[in-house]
Amino acid sequence: MSTSEDLRFLSHSLAQMLRRSVAGESPSSMVVEAEGLIESAERLAAASDESFPLYLTICCLNCLADRVAPTAALEALAESLENHLGEEVWKAAGSHRLQGSRVDFGGGVSGTGTSLMRLETFSNHYAAFYGFSEFGKEDQEKIWQKAERGELTMPTQDAVLSGAHGIAWFTDREELEQHCSSSGAKSFDVNQAYDALGLDWTDRWEDYGDGPDGKGEAFSRALAVHCKLEHRQAAESELRVPTSLDGWGNFLFVPGAGEPAESWPEVPSRACHPATGKALLPEGVHGPVVVPEGSDAPIEACGIVSRPGEGDRIAECFREIADRALHRLRSVRNK
C-alpha cells in the first residue's frame, strides 16, 4: 500500500477502536491491537518524514485510556477520522469539553499564575501596547532588553488571559518555581519549565546555528507573564486532567493520576513529564478567572530555551507516551 493508503487504514482502525469504546467494549481488550497500530504509526512517520501518524495515534490512545473523555467527543473524532486524513480531525472534538468534578476553593483564595511564551509570541500579543511594531525584529530586541532590565509591566486587564475557547492558561507560579528551581538569578530554570509546562515549539525556534543538520543550535528566548489571580470559588466544569483533547492543543499534557484535594493547586491530577511520566505542575486554570482590580502583571525575561533533542516533541517522546497510554488501557476494566 502507498503511504496515503496506510494512513487511511490507520485512521480507519483508530476510528473503529473509538466506536467500540463508545459501544461499551473495555479499552483493555484493545491493547494488543493498539500495540500493532503504534508500530504502524512509527513506520508511517518514518516513511513520510512527518509526525502526524504518531500524533494521531497517541491522541486516540489517550482518549481511550482516559475514562472521563465524553462519548460525544469520541463519536465526533471517529466520524472525522473516517473522512479526513489531516490534522483537521481535531476540530471535531474542539467543542467537547472533558468534564470533571466540582472543586470548591472557599474564601476566594488569591495567588499568582504564570504563563510562559516565546519572545515572538509575546511581541505578537503585546508589542503595540508598548508602542512597538509586532513585526519589527529591532522592536522585538528592544522589548527583550526592557524585559531583561525588569522594565516591563502591564495592567492585568490588558494581559491576554484566554484562548480560543475562553480558557486561561496559567499554572501556579509558586509551584512552577518549586519544580523548576534555578541556581542562578532567575526565578526558575526556563529549560526545565519548557518540559514541565508541556510546551512544544517545534519549527518555531528563533535561531539555528552551525550544527551538522543546520539546526544544531536552535533556541528561543522566553518571557514569563505573572498575573495575580483570584481562584474561583467553585468550578463546575473543572477538567480532571489535561489530556489530548485539551492542554493548549498540546498532546504532551499527558494524564496523570491522583485523588481530589481541598484546594488548587492541589488538584486531582498534574501534568506529567512527556517522557518519564513524572508528576509535575498542577492543571492550568480551566475557565474564566477573576483578576484583582488595580494589579499589574510583571513581565520576566526568564532566559533561553535550548531546543531539546531533535526538537520535535512528537517524535522525541512518542514511544514513552504510547507505552504509558497502553499501561492505562490495561488498567481499564469493565464494571
Side-chain angles (χ1 to χ4, degrees):
M1 289 191 292
S2 68
T3 301
S4 61
E5 290 173 336
D6 287 335
L7 182 55
R8 190 176 299 279
F9 177 78
L10 176 67
S11 297
H12 174 78
S13 299
L14 292 169
Q16 290 305 305
M17 291 177 70
L18 292 171
R19 288 199 171 105
R20 285 156 55 191
S21 179
V22 169
E25 183 176 343
S26 172
S28 63
S29 68
M30 307 178 199
V31 172
V32 174
E33 185 177 350
E35 289 174 335
L37 292 178
I38 288 171
E39 298 299 331
S40 296
E42 287 190 306
R43 289 195 300 271
L44 269 174
S48 62
D49 196 30
E50 67 110 274
S51 295
F52 180 62
L54 307 181
Y55 180 88
L56 189 68
T57 304
I58 280 297
C59 287
C60 284
L61 291 179
N62 279 338
C63 290
L64 285 171
D66 192 341
R67 286 165 286 184
V68 302
T71 297
L74 299 185
E75 290 175 336
L77 282 172
E79 181 178 354
S80 189
L81 280 168
E82 296 283 22
N83 298 301
H84 303 282
L85 293 182
E87 297 188 33
E88 297 294 312
V89 295
W90 295 106
K91 291 184 178 179
S95 61
H96 300 282
R97 284 285 155 214
L98 302 185
Q99 301 299 308
S101 59
R102 178 186 176 95
V103 178
D104 291 309
F105 295 115
V109 180
S110 295
T112 300
T114 293
S115 184
L116 190 69
M117 63 186 72
R118 298 161 56 246
L119 173 61
E120 184 178 357
T121 301
F122 181 87
S123 296
N124 290 343
H125 282 308
Y126 302 120
F129 177 87
Y130 299 109
F132 294 121
S133 166
E134 64 183 274
F135 304 110
K137 292 298 183 182
E138 290 185 5
D139 281 359
Q140 283 188 19
E141 294 300 321
K142 292 176 182 177
I143 288 174
W144 177 254
Q145 291 166 11
K146 288 176 72 69
E148 284 194 308
R149 295 194 297 266
E151 297 175 359
L152 289 187
T153 61
M154 70 174 63
T156 303
Q157 63 264 27
D158 292 317
V160 177
L161 294 181
S162 64
H165 300 288
I167 294 176
W169 288 109
F170 286 86
T171 195
D172 185 76
R173 179 177 181 176
E174 183 177 339
E175 290 280 324
L176 178 67
E177 293 178 352
Q178 176 182 333
H179 278 276
C180 307
S181 59
S182 172
S183 58
K186 303 296 183 182
S187 61
F188 58 88
D189 185 296
V190 68
N191 283 282
Q192 291 182 39
Y194 180 80
D195 278 339
L197 291 166
L199 298 177
D200 181 10
W201 293 348
T202 301
D203 296 329
R204 291 180 293 167
W205 297 101
E206 195 174 321
D207 188 75
Y208 295 92
D210 299 323
D213 60 355
K215 301 180 180 179
E217 303 298 329
F219 67 86
S220 281
R221 287 171 287 185
L223 291 159
V225 180
H226 303 295
C227 288
K228 291 182 180 179
L229 305 174
E230 291 182 1
H231 299 232
R232 298 172 308 292
Q233 180 75 16
E236 292 284 6
S237 298
E238 190 76 5
L239 305 188
R240 186 176 68 84
V241 289
T243 73
S244 56
L245 291 184
D246 192 60
W248 222 340
N250 187 344
F251 85 111
L252 291 169
F253 278 92
V254 183
E259 298 297 328
E262 293 182 358
S263 63
W264 194 86
E266 293 304 322
V267 292
S269 185
R270 292 168 177 258
C272 295
H273 186 281
T276 66
K278 177 184 177 182
L280 292 171
L281 299 173
E283 291 184 73
V285 180
H286 302 283
V289 295
V290 178
V291 179
E293 290 186 11
S295 63
D296 284 340
I299 313 301
E300 177 184 359
C302 45
I304 301 293
V305 176
S306 301
R307 187 188 69 175
E310 293 300 316
D312 184 330
R313 289 297 217 180
I314 300 171
E316 178 187 353
C317 303
F318 174 77
R319 175 55 67 173
E320 290 85 354
I321 300 174
D323 287 345
R324 193 154 60 255
L326 287 172
H327 176 76
R328 295 201 314 280
L329 284 175
R330 292 187 180 99
S331 71
V332 178
R333 297 287 182 263
N334 286 317
K335 297 292 185 180

